[in-house]
Amino acid sequence: MAPNLSPENDLYIKELVSRGTYPSEAEALNDAVGLLRKSRQVVAAIQAGIEQAERGDLIPSEDVFHRLEDRLAIIEATVHQKS
């Protein structure tokens, strides 16, 4: 276990392992670190978007809605194929 883990987090990890949610403490910690990395990536992407918007580098709303409609159509087609 990580030596500087708080007692609360240490207990939580041990409970997850004892319940069978994770096969080991190392697996639980690796999953937690992976989620932390993804979280930091999302924050960085949002910050980049904010900076882009502040520069005025924006996409017209009609283009955004068309892209969303296209993605929705792909998702709906995929769902119907699986049904």
Side-chain angles (χ1 to χ4, degrees):
M1 186 61 64
N4 294 325
L5 203 59
S6 73
E8 296 84 13
N9 288 338
D10 186 52
L11 179 61
Y12 183 66
I13 294 293
K14 287 178 180 173
E15 287 174 0
L16 290 173
V17 173
S18 71
R19 283 190 243 141
T21 306
Y22 288 94
S24 69
E25 293 175 6
E27 295 255 352
L29 288 172
N30 282 328
D31 198 18
V33 171
L35 291 170
L36 180 60
R37 284 178 189 231
K38 288 178 185 177
S39 169
R40 299 308 309 156
Q41 291 171 349
V42 168
V43 169
I46 291 170
Q47 184 58 43
I50 291 169
E51 291 168 3
Q52 192 175 16
E54 287 173 346
R55 289 191 308 267
D57 191 10
L58 303 171
I59 299 171
S61 61
E62 293 105 20
D63 291 351
V64 173
F65 287 116
H66 289 300
R67 289 180 187 184
L68 290 172
E69 289 168 347
D70 291 345
R71 287 184 185 179
L72 178 60
I74 291 169
I75 291 168
E76 288 176 338
T78 303
V79 169
H80 290 322
Q81 288 176 352
K82 292 181 180 180
S83 300

